Structures are given as C-alpha cells and as structure tokens.
Amino acid sequence: MGTLHLLGTGAALSDSARTTTMLALEGRASLYLVDCGGDAAQRALASGLDLTRVEGLIVTHEHADHVGGFPLLMERLWLAGQTEPFPVYGNASALKQVERLDAAFDTSNWPDYPSLDLREVGAEERALVLQDDDLTVYASHGTHAVPCIGLRVERRGGGVVAYSGDTAPSAAIVRLAESADVLVHEATGDGPGHSSAAGAARVAREAGVGRLVLVHLGPQPDGGEALLAEARAVFPATELGHDGARYEF
Ligand SMILES: [Zn+2]
Ligand SMILES: [Zn+2]
C-alpha cells in the first residue's frame, strides 16, 4: 500500500488552517518528503510518520515557501537519530538553494550530523528522480518563475499519484499526470507561473486523472467553496486539500 500525505496545503501566504504545501510519499518500507517550506518534520509527526524512516527529500524549486525550512528539517532529523548521508533530489537551482541554506548554519561541531547527498534531477520530461523496491518517482518541469518540477509517483503493482509543483497550466504536467489516480495540483489563482482552480481542473480533465486535489491555497474566507465550485464546473471529481489528509494509491 502506498500513501500520499498532504503535510501542508497552503500558498506562501495562507490562513491559520494551512501551512506551506508539503507532501510525504510513503511506500511499503520507504518514506520521502516533498518540499519543506514550513516545519516539515512537525507536520510529518502530526501525520503519524516516524522521522527515522525518512529516506530523502525532494525539493520542487528554490522558493522559500518550498525549501525555507530545510535547516530546521535537517536539525530535527539529526536529533531524531539520522546520521547517514541524506539524499536531496531537485533541479540545479533548487539544490544550490539547499546548499546555501545548509551553509548558513555552522554544524561542524554537531556529532554525526548527516552530510548532504545532492542528486540532481535532469531537465528532460519524465526524468527519473528515484526508484526503490516499491516506488518510482519521475519529474517534469512545469511553467513557473524559476525552474520547478512536478512529480509522478508509481507504486509497483499499484496506483499512480501526481503533483504539479508550482506552475501555470502546463502541457508537460498534463503528460506527466496522464491517467494518475490522484492529481494534487496547485490552485494559487490566476497569475504568472500559477494556476486558477479552473486551470487546474482543465489539466486534470486533459490528463484523464481519477481525482483532483487542490493545494497551494491562499486565504479562503468562504472555506474554499467558490474555488471548489469553479473547479468542479470543469472537473467534478475535485476536492480541496487539507493539511493532514492522506490518499492511498
Ligand atoms: Zn514558487
Ligand atoms: Zn509556492
């Protein structure tokens, strides 16, 4: 059984119900985090996940609301007992940001503090990010202010989930998400490098996914009802993402 956890579902500015958008990908034995703009370790604990099981981090891009919590995440993983080199997957600019954030703190006297094992994701479509006994993760770049990857996660003998990353509606993300059981897509709103709820719904329809979950949400004074109605007019099987929600695949 695979589980996609929504650790956070907010945009850079959201409301009290949402922290920044972060995910966890849980396979039979494996566990990876996706992005760490907020306190990813605390959100993982809130979702019942064991920090000693985290085998790596995928960073979608260099923006603060996706990677700004990196030093705190590493400190918490180390305190939880992680000492082995820690894999971080991302495109070149995201990994450079990770290196800068790591260098901002002097951890040289912290015994057995894990070194970083940076693994660059290629720029081609459906680039292989990682593969283990259970999960295979691919990435394609969407359309954002800086290079940003979306993800496709396939479970051996099981289902498929996809995540848009930060992006305007993108043909590359449509292809990446093709026939996924669940597509987690950003719905920040119309604007350069972002998607409206209707835009996300069109991507879901074109990709032929089973369900659409909207994330990277700003403040929702009406509880998100208008956003949901806008998306459901295009793609009925849409729901709002909530911090702590989980989807089996
Ligand atoms: Zn961004
Ligand atoms: Zn963002």
Side-chain angles (χ1 to χ4, degrees):
M1 185 63 74
T3 308
L4 167 70
H5 298 265
L6 302 183
L7 303 184
T9 57
L13 177 63
S14 192
D15 52 37
S16 63
R18 291 187 164 86
T19 185
T20 59
T21 294
M22 304 178 281
L23 314 177
L25 309 172
E26 187 180 22
R28 220 176 22 245
S30 49
L31 179 61
Y32 305 96
L33 303 180
V34 179
D35 284 339
C36 53
D39 189 343
Q42 188 273 337
R43 296 308 308 156
L45 290 170
S47 287
L49 299 170
D50 178 352
L51 296 183
T52 65
R53 282 184 57 208
V54 178
E55 291 177 30
L57 168 72
I58 302 169
V59 285
T60 59
H61 65 300
E62 68 188 67
H63 281 160
D65 60 313
H66 295 263
V67 73
F70 181 76
L72 178 61
L73 172 63
M74 289 308 299
E75 181 174 5
R76 290 191 187 282
L77 291 177
W78 172 65
L79 290 170
Q82 293 239 14
T83 57
E84 296 297 311
F86 186 72
V88 183
Y89 307 84
N91 61 36
S93 61
L95 293 185
K96 279 206 181 69
Q97 189 73 289
V98 163
E99 283 188 294
R100 281 191 291 265
L101 289 162
D102 185 59
F105 297 87
D106 181 5
T107 53
S108 57
N109 290 328
W110 298 12
D112 299 322
Y113 189 72
S115 60
L116 299 185
D117 175 5
L118 302 178
R119 303 188 188 186
E120 188 174 332
V121 173
E124 72 273 18
E125 278 201 29
R126 285 209 193 193
L128 180 67
V129 178
L130 64 88
Q131 182 163 39
D132 62 27
D133 291 345
D134 204 23
L135 302 180
T136 306
V137 182
Y138 302 93
S140 295
H141 281 76
T143 305
H144 195 46
V146 298
C148 179
I149 54 172
L151 302 173
R152 177 185 181 89
V153 185
E154 299 183 352
R155 189 170 67 81
R156 191 180 299 262
V160 176
V161 294
Y163 169 47
S164 66
D166 280 12
T167 185
S170 158
I173 298 300
V174 169
R175 290 189 289 272
L176 182 70
E178 185 187 358
S179 302
D181 300 291
V182 179
L183 169 62
V184 176
H185 200 291
E186 73 125 287
T188 317
D190 257 332
H194 288 291
S195 301
S196 65
R202 282 191 291 273
V203 169
R205 190 174 63 192
E206 287 173 33
V209 304
R211 318 156 71 172
L212 170 65
V213 180
L214 301 178
V215 298
H216 209 273
L217 306 178
Q220 303 293 325
D222 68 347
E225 274 182 39
L227 206 68
L228 201 52
E230 178 189 325
R232 283 181 172 166
V234 178
F235 190 79
T238 301
E239 57 202 88
L240 291 181
H242 293 285
D243 293 20
R246 61 189 69 195
Y247 299 86
E248 309 292 345
F249 68 102

